[in-house]
Amino acid sequence: MNQETRFVLAVVLMLAVLIGTNYFFAPDSPQDSLDEAPTADEVVDTSELVEDEELAEDPDTAIEVEAVDPVLPGLDVQEAIPTVEAEPAGDLPGSAGPERFVDVRGPLYEARFTTRGGRVVGFELAEFDSFARTGPVELVADPETGMLGSRLIVSGDTVDLRDVSFRVEPEGGLQLEAGGEPETLSFIYEHPDEPFAFEVAYRFDPDSYLIEVSGRVRGLERGLLLTDLGRGLAFNQAQPDQEAPNMAYVSNHVQDGVQSTHPSDVERGVLEEGPFHWAALKSRYFVVGMLPSIEPGGTEFFGGILALPVDPENDVAHVAVTQSLGAGGRFSYQFFAGPQDYQLLSSIGHDFQEVNPVGWRFIRPILRPFVGVIMWVLVSLHDVLGIGYGWVLILFGVMMRVVLFPLYHKSMRAQLRNMAVQPLLKDIQTKYKDQPEKMQKELMRLYKEHGFNPLAGCWPMLLPWPILIALFFVFQNTIELRGVPFAWLPDLSAADPLYILPVLLGISMFLMQWISLRTLEEVNPQMKMMMWFLPIFMVILFANFPSGLNLYYLTANLATLPQSWWIANERQKVQAKGPPVVSKA
């Protein structure tokens, strides 16, 4: 059972107790348009991408390229991507020699490129420590294949450039300075005997995680460029089993919206037809993605995404993105490699912040505003007051109870009013049990005279639940809370290693129920069982939830105890006073 399933079960149980307790006093009552979006045919004109007979026969998994000149002689052309394990092209005539590595060092990251294919084989984020290895977070999962390798699809054949030797300029790499001007690293391959050349340039802004990529293919005016995103992201959490469920490749289709696919669900040779706003690989806290660029040769949309399973047992899949070459064989795109910072991703556009969607699709529109507001409040309290996020969560828990106190007060008053008239309701139901129409009339009169509403005591108490649910997803992937310690807790986004918070949370839930039930004249066996069973079950469920979520919920429960005590005393007064007088019909 994964964390989301356990959380849903916990919420259902808590709501059952909340509504069940309220029900004790509440008997039954009387009764963006996408029509103009370009089609896949308008975005890219393609030919067969795969020669596998099974895939080629399926129109949903084949793309076509317009006919162009025959493939250049001298290039080692492979069969059109039957598998990502195809034989390397090897050194072509006139190649630059043995493999060399070139580094780009800046304040935000250090990227390592190889002259073999001009690929990214390492990408470290300087501001974030890896919990799985010594040093900063590493995004590249497989340095052997890396990211951003290029292939050209021409007349159904593949020109594989991922392993050819490129010339690099400048040869010594780049050293970026904070606040400095953007700098460019270029890779060039020129065929010695044929009029063919492939150039790709990476433009780095020292203060941005977004890299501008542009290039040109000479000798092939038209075709399809296939760019590798790689084989997933490297694990950087201390417990890989908790990070693995968050691994996925994500795309934003112009018509179908954001879609997320776990590597274990990838089938061989699956080609998703575009148009796409972007494609990305994500882990729990980090993401790499490709977005179209408006630079010369760029395209407004990507044409498709090719996903091939590499190691199904270890949830590894190879993902590549297609785009058609522009005029003069030009191409361009943007490459993002960095943290899943909501504000940062939002600034990129095209809903890139939805790369790690919040919650389940059916409640995402409701949860997203809550998540945005909650994160704004937490970050603002942290920055303005200069206190750690642990104290921020405690303060936030108290603030929520203070802000919601009027609603809770109204809810409890409604419960007391319902309880006061309950004996009268029972009398009416008993007296007119054989006269349903008369009973209906008397009940309606009673409701009107005493302002009785069976749901009035329930709905105000449901308002904190969207906040609790939103907080669960906040702790799932919010980069600001990653690795933040508090007291004995090493990481607010990870479980409490000593299980102190889950146990205290269970005790607080028991006290809340005990205070509420001790003043009832009659308590059915089911409610007594729940008073003991629910706290124990909640301790088990919350034991593996983020400790920050436990800290907030425990604080909120403790802040509610005085109010629960006051309501219990008021309930005793109502019971001693007896039912109100009913007017004669």
Side-chain angles (χ1 to χ4, degrees), residues 129-132 236-239 242 284-286 389-390 393 474-498 501 543-551:
D129 292 329
S130 175
F131 302 148
N236 286 284
Q237 295 303 106
Q239 298 177 308
Q242 293 186 4
R284 181 173 179 182
Y285 294 105
F286 304 99
Y389 277 107
L393 290 169
V474 164
F475 283 105
Q476 285 290 85
N477 53 29
T478 300
I479 193 68
E480 288 87 349
L481 300 173
R482 178 182 182 269
V484 175
F486 178 70
W488 71 92
L489 304 170
D491 185 353
L492 287 173
S493 65
D496 182 346
L498 302 180
L501 285 179
N544 292 318
F545 287 170
S547 54
L549 182 69
N550 281 271
L551 181 62

Side-chain angles (χ1 to χ4, degrees), residues 151-201:
R151 284 167 284 179
L152 295 171
I153 311 301
V154 184
S155 298
D157 293 320
T158 302
V159 180
D160 195 337
L161 298 162
R162 293 175 298 176
D163 203 49
V164 301
S165 294
F166 280 72
R167 184 177 79 254
V168 60
E169 298 177 356
E171 293 185 354
L174 300 175
Q175 181 67 53
L176 309 176
E177 301 294 337
E181 294 296 320
E183 298 189 43
T184 300
L185 186 71
S186 300
F187 292 86
I188 305 101
Y189 170 76
E190 295 176 327
H191 196 282
D193 302 320
E194 301 294 334
F196 172 81
F198 185 91
E199 304 172 7
V200 58

Side-chain angles (χ1 to χ4, degrees), residues 35 45 55 73 81 105 122 187 200 208 352 386 400 407 410 431 447-448 463 492 494 557 575-576:
D35 293 338
D45 189 15
L55 296 175
I81 321 175
R105 296 184 176 91
F187 292 86
V200 58
S208 173
F352 195 50
M400 287 305 304
L407 290 175
K410 181 178 180 180
K431 183 176 181 180
Y447 295 159
K448 183 177 180 179
L463 291 180
L492 287 173
N557 282 355
Q575 290 173 342

